[in-house]
């Protein structure tokens, strides 16, 4: 699912640019309250970007630090006798960066199983499927009804009453687009089946549930399927 995570990072990068422009205007207007609020929002978005990048590449932070170190070394006014030492340090940094680039990340690299299940659902080869997020206690259920793709989060009555499932998790699900169903038993998203062209929009929703709404569960590699025929 790396492409979906990249799409989400791009979304946050756009939000970051917007907030930076708002901050600049707030500073010119000397609006201290707006500066405070937008600075807080900027910090939150930057944290989300760092987290998502680490999901694709867990060595991203170290590589960024190495790149900064390399730039500082290259910018030095090298004195006589120091050139060879600086050159050796830069070569060491380059070697370490190359090592990190060769490491496998292990995060959602293959979304083919999810794609297959979703296309089988759309083509009416299966009635529904469940995507377990955390053990067998938190999940997303995918089905089609009245020409709509319905994504339902775990019913409220089944959500484990654990201390780290807080109101924040439900609030973040609502921000993503989940709303209570007619009976009020769960949160769901409805998508127009006729607008379905590929799996990326739906996989982006799943990625946001995993990395945003349930960020405190550390569930990136705990997913499994249950297909309902």
């Amino acid at each position: 699912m790396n492409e979906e995570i990249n799409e989400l990072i791009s979304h946050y990068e756009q939000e970051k640019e917007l907030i930076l422009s708002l901050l600049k205007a707030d500073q010119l207007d000397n609006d201290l309250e707006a500066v405070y609020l937008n600075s807080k929002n900027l910090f939150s978005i930057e944290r989300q970007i760092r987290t998502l990048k680490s999901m694709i590449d867990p060595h991203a932070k170290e590589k960024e630090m190495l790149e900064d170190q390399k730039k500082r070394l290259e910018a030095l006014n090298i004195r006589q006798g120091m050139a060879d030492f600086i050159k050796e340090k830069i070569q060491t940094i380059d070697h370490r960066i190359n090592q990190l680039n060769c490491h496998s990340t292990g995060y959602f690299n293959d979304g083919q199983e999810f794609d297959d299940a979703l296309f089988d659902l759309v083509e009416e080869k299966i009635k529904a499927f469940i995507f377990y997020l955390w053990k067998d206690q938190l999940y997303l259920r995918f089905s089609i009804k009245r020409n709509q793709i319905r994504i339902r989060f775990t019913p409220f009555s089944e959500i484990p009453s654990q201390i780290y499932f807080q109101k924040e998790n439900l609030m973040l699900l609502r921000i993503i687009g989940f709303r209570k169903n007619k009976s009020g038993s769960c949160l769901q998203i409805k998508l127009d089946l006729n607008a379905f062209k590929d799996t990326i929009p739906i996989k982006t929703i799943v990625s946001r549930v995993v990395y945003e709404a349930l960020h405190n569960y550390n569930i990136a590699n705990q997913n499994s399927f249950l297909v309902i025929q």
Side-chain angles (χ1 to χ4, degrees), residues 3 14 17 23 35 38 49 54 68 74 109 118 136 142 152 162 171 176 195 206-207 209 214-215 217:
E3 67 273 20
Q14 292 173 14
E17 290 301 317
L23 262 174
V35 168
N38 280 320
I49 291 171
S54 72
D68 287 343
E74 291 173 338
N109 288 318
L118 195 50
D136 60 348
F142 296 78
R152 289 191 171 184
Q162 309 229 10
M171 179 189 72
I176 293 169
V206 175
S207 294
V209 171
L214 303 179
H215 63 90
Y217 276 76

Side-chain angles (χ1 to χ4, degrees), residues 19-66:
I19 290 178
L20 284 171
S21 66
L22 291 174
L23 262 174
K24 187 175 180 180
D26 294 337
Q27 289 166 348
L28 290 173
D29 294 338
N30 199 29
D31 188 339
L32 298 181
E33 183 178 358
V35 168
Y36 169 76
L37 291 174
N38 280 320
S39 296
K40 189 176 180 180
N41 289 335
L42 180 62
F43 176 80
S44 176
I45 287 174
E46 288 178 335
R47 178 174 58 83
Q48 292 283 9
I49 291 171
R50 287 194 299 271
T51 300
L52 290 170
K53 284 183 175 179
S54 72
M55 297 300 177
I56 295 176
D57 182 359
H59 305 292
K61 186 174 181 180
E62 182 179 353
K63 286 194 287 187
E64 185 177 338
M65 292 173 61
L66 289 169

Side-chain angles (χ1 to χ4, degrees), residues 117-177:
L118 195 50
F119 275 107
D120 284 348
L121 179 67
V122 170
E123 294 169 5
E124 298 183 342
K125 294 179 180 179
I126 58 175
K127 292 182 179 179
F129 71 89
I130 291 175
F131 184 54
Y132 285 107
L133 300 166
W134 188 71
K135 301 180 181 180
D136 60 348
Q137 300 179 5
L138 295 178
Y139 57 85
L140 294 172
R141 186 182 189 277
F142 296 78
S143 63
I144 292 178
K145 187 176 182 181
R146 296 176 183 171
N147 218 34
Q148 294 175 323
I149 299 173
R150 300 193 178 192
I151 308 172
R152 289 191 171 184
F153 189 71
T154 316
F156 295 121
S157 61
E158 296 180 25
I159 294 176
S161 56
Q162 309 229 10
I163 192 168
Y164 48 91
F165 195 92
Q166 303 169 355
K167 289 182 179 179
E168 179 195 7
N169 300 107
L170 293 175
M171 179 189 72
L172 290 169
L173 285 168
R174 290 188 178 98
I175 289 173
I176 293 169

Side-chain angles (χ1 to χ4, degrees), residues 186-201:
C186 68
L187 293 176
Q188 68 178 11
I189 288 180
K190 297 179 182 179
L191 304 172
D192 184 2
L193 180 61
N194 294 324
F196 178 83
K197 295 180 180 178
D198 57 59
T199 62
I200 289 179

